[in-house]
Amino acid sequence: MSNQAYESAAALRPRSQAPTTLAELARKLDLHALDDAGGDLSEVLVHGVSVDSGDVTRGELFTALPGFRRHGADFAAQAVAAGAVAVLTDADGAARVRAALPRVPVLVHPDPRQVVGPLAAVVYHHPGQHLVTTAVTGTNGKTTTSYFLQAILAAHHGGCMIAGTVELSVGSLSVESPRTTVEAPVLQRMMALAVEEGVGAASLEASSHAIVLHRLGGTRVDVAGFTNLQRDHLDFHHTMEEYLDAKAQLFTPERARHAVICVDDRWGAALARRVAEAGALEVDRVRAYPGPDPTLDPSQGTDWWVSDAAVSMTRAATTFTLHGPDGEHIEAACPLPGLVNVQNAALALVMALRAGVPADTAVHALAHAHNIPGRMQRVCQRDGRRGTCIVDFAHTPEAMELALKAVREITPGRLIVVFGSDGDRDQGKRPMLGEVAARLADVLVVTDENPRSEDPQLIRDAVLAGVRAVRPGMEDVEEVTTWRGDAVRRGVELCGAQDTVIVTGKGHEPFLEAAGEFIRYNDAPVMREAVEAKWPTVSEDGPRTGSEHD
């Protein structure tokens, strides 16, 4: 997480916030106040909440959480200097705070991370109760689906905030997001700002880390959606079963009112059964991929299913029919290619319908939901002179396979992929990425992604080992060892008018992380420059570059 991103997020606060007394918070959340805090807690007014000392503004409560490396209580003095009026922490943190700040009010809870979301909801006057709120979880497709939902909900409600991997946006304010799901106080204050601005809805992404770490605490969404479960984050969850257990926590009556679950993989089917058997939530099961019976009626374990998916070679969009449990036949168009995006679109449509959006409104808004940063983002569209150039976030073996298959459908010539793999993450997926790329693409350019603390060459070697298992002779395989931007430029250099080059792995990410540094970098502008260098704009009215709307 970059400090710059978090400092920008500070702007997303309500401008007028009625305070809550510290005594009221202690009473409502069953918090213990240190006896030696001094003063009357009913006279301490709390205007906001933060879990980051660098994010505190005057009048806020600082929540000092135990961290993986350091305890947040070690930063309490910095928070108080910035204007914090009190501290919430655990017993260990309370001892640290009291040693450094003998007269600052301290509230204590055995698990402050668990309680900070409900506490922030009280402080910001339960803003989620005034918004129609959706949350999407799953390994891949969260961002695309959440942007589809933002477009649909905004069309119906006149505005929709978004909080996810790419950005935090409320009304005209938009900043880079520090993570997929922000900490609970940031989310609560964003929703409070949305209410203040008259924005009627919220589209959220829910990562498995966030669900386990209670970042959605204090929020009960109207509709929770599940895309898929694929190999990722096993350095954190250890097994796929643990990974699914983390996701399943979103689909409980404390956190959601309705569930919409894609059952295209066995993990989604298992989750749907678990939620249905619990009986606490209504659940809609959605299937986007073809099954053994093309009709896929509800008696076969699904409520909604897709038929007649067709990709336009010229528009790189996909049309499909969504069938419903009451005989609905909804003709829809997804602005992105491939069945994986049909899955995202179908999920968004059903979630929107369950959130109260009329079908015709949802279908029209979905068809116009273009320009999702780093998700099948078309930097250049084939036009007879230029090839198609795409940036996509695919960074797992399953996502890479789906992305390459989707792009193959719109590629009359060669498919070129520029890719690598993350450092300090699941090492097992590196050769798997190489195998998928070697099997499905024609030309491979292997480069760095986010090496972090690892030797980039060792990461590339693991990827290339997977490539070599499919192509022992390493035909049409290049390795770029200098800089990721050089690899992107090389991919564009290799691209002919009938070819497609797709750069995967980083998508929207604004930084490249290497050797402890966050280096400002994004694939899309580098690709735009390479496109302009290869195919210069011939006239003011001629072919343009860098357009996701071509």
Side-chain angles (χ1 to χ4, degrees):
M1 178 185 68
S2 69
N3 288 334
Q4 180 179 356
Y6 230 129
E7 288 167 4
S8 299
L12 300 175
R13 284 178 160 87
R15 297 172 182 83
S16 177
Q17 178 64 33
T20 305
T21 69
L22 199 60
E24 183 180 0
L25 292 176
R27 177 177 56 81
K28 287 186 174 181
L29 281 303
D30 196 23
L31 306 174
H32 169 67
L34 289 189
D35 294 336
D36 60 347
D40 185 352
L41 298 188
S42 64
E43 295 180 357
V44 179
L45 300 181
V46 177
H47 293 263
V49 186
S50 181
V51 299
D52 188 288
S53 60
D55 184 49
V56 171
T57 61
R58 187 164 301 280
E60 292 192 338
L61 171 70
F62 173 57
T63 305
L65 306 176
F68 293 112
R69 296 183 180 87
R70 295 188 66 179
H71 200 296
D74 296 338
F75 301 91
Q78 178 182 342
V80 170
V85 295
V87 178
L88 167 66
T89 188
D90 57 11
D92 179 26
R96 299 179 189 219
V97 173
R98 183 52 71 239
L101 303 164
R103 304 308 299 167
V104 170
V106 178
L107 300 180
V108 183
H109 189 273
D111 187 356
R113 180 172 283 283
Q114 185 175 25
V115 78
V116 66
L119 181 145
V122 172
V123 170
Y124 293 107
H125 307 291
H126 301 284
Q129 295 179 3
H130 305 284
L131 300 170
V132 174
T133 308
T134 61
V136 182
T137 195
T139 305
N140 293 304
K142 294 189 298 296
T143 298
T144 300
T145 306
S146 68
Y147 270 94
F148 287 165
L149 279 163
Q150 184 199 32
I152 295 169
L153 292 170
H156 184 58
H157 292 280
C160 178
M161 63 162 271
I162 193 163
T165 304
V166 176
E167 65 178 323
L168 308 176
S169 174
V170 180
S172 61
L173 293 173
S174 177
V175 301
E176 291 174 2
S177 177
R179 51 168 60 96
T180 298
T181 310
V182 290
E183 295 286 359
V186 180
L187 180 57
Q188 293 294 328
R189 76 169 74 124
M190 280 188 67
M191 291 194 293
L193 175 60
V195 173
E196 187 177 83
E197 292 284 309
V199 173
S203 177
L204 315 177
E205 290 184 55
S207 70
S208 57
H209 293 68
I211 295 169
V212 171
L213 296 173
H214 306 291
R215 291 180 193 150
L216 288 166
T219 301
R220 187 184 182 207
V221 301
D222 292 289
V223 186
F226 176 88
T227 57
N228 50 64
L229 203 73
Q230 300 168 2
R231 181 179 177 130
D232 204 8
H233 305 306
L234 296 190
D235 51 320
F236 183 80
H237 295 296
H238 309 299
T239 68
M240 292 295 289
E241 288 73 17
E242 288 185 22
Y243 190 15
L244 182 65
D245 288 343
K247 299 290 191 185
Q249 293 178 40
L250 178 63
F251 298 89
T252 61
E254 296 78 23
R255 296 185 172 181
R257 293 181 175 86
H258 196 104
V260 181
I261 299 173
C262 288
V263 294
D264 292 303
D265 62 36
R266 68 186 182 94
W267 303 105
L271 176 61
R273 283 194 301 272
R274 184 188 301 192
V275 176
E277 289 169 1
L281 291 183
E282 290 187 35
V283 57
D284 281 276
R285 297 157 297 174
V286 181
R287 190 185 298 277
Y289 295 98
D293 182 337
T295 61
L296 290 172
D297 60 45
S299 65
Q300 294 174 293
T302 184
D303 303 298
W304 299 81
W305 66 99
V306 167
S307 70
D308 306 320
V311 179
S312 165
M313 182 76 77
T314 55
R315 292 171 47 247
T318 312
T319 58
F320 63 95
T321 302
L322 179 65
H323 304 265
D326 298 321
E328 297 95 335
H329 294 273
I330 300 174
E331 304 295 331
C334 169
L336 302 177
L339 273 177
V340 64
N341 286 307
V342 170
Q343 182 187 69
N344 298 331
L347 177 61
L349 282 175
V350 178
M351 290 180 67
L353 294 174
R354 293 308 182 217
V357 180
D360 55 349
T361 301
V363 168
H364 184 267
L366 171 66
H368 295 85
H370 292 283
N371 195 18
I372 302 172
R375 272 44 178 198
M376 285 293 171
Q377 181 179 354
R378 294 194 297 274
V379 172
C380 178
Q381 180 70 28
R382 193 179 338 279
D383 61 7
R385 186 175 72 102
R386 306 175 298 172
T388 295
C389 301
I390 294 172
V391 171
D392 191 68
F393 190 48
H395 62 286
T396 67
E398 295 90 343
M400 174 75 87
E401 179 153 355
L402 291 168
L404 294 182
K405 285 181 176 178
V407 173
R408 175 66 74 183
E409 292 185 272
I410 60 170
T411 304
R414 299 180 306 165
L415 175 54
I416 303 157
V417 60
V418 180
F419 74 109
S421 189
D422 266 344
D424 297 340
R425 298 294 185 270
D426 179 13
Q427 297 184 11
K429 71 180 183 180
R430 296 171 187 173
M432 297 168 69
L433 284 163
E435 291 175 13
V436 170
R439 178 163 45 86
L440 296 178
D442 298 302
V443 181
L444 281 60
V445 181
V446 178
T447 183
D448 299 332
E449 195 168 297
N450 289 307
R452 297 188 173 90
S453 69
E454 290 193 61
D455 182 344
Q457 186 63 57
L458 295 179
I459 300 172
R460 292 195 302 272
D461 287 346
V463 172
L464 289 166
V467 173
R468 194 171 286 108
V470 177
R471 298 187 193 180
M474 301 295 279
E475 301 87 0
D476 293 315
V477 178
E478 298 187 17
E479 179 185 9
V480 174
T481 63
T482 51
W483 172 245
R484 183 176 174 92
D486 295 335
V488 174
R489 283 186 280 271
R490 179 57 179 156
V492 174
E493 287 172 4
L494 293 168
C495 184
Q498 297 302 306
D499 301 335
T500 297
V501 57
I502 179 171
V503 181
T504 68
K506 289 187 64 61
H508 67 284
E509 291 181 349
F511 295 94
L512 189 151
E513 187 178 351
E517 291 187 62
F518 287 87
I519 304 163
R520 177 64 73 168
Y521 173 87
N522 180 259
D523 283 332
V526 175
M527 180 173 265
R528 286 191 190 98
E529 292 175 3
V531 165
E532 180 61 28
K534 183 176 176 68
W535 298 293
T537 303
V538 294
S539 73
E540 215 172 297
D541 297 322
R544 293 176 296 114
T545 60
S547 173
E548 292 81 7
H549 301 281
D550 288 347

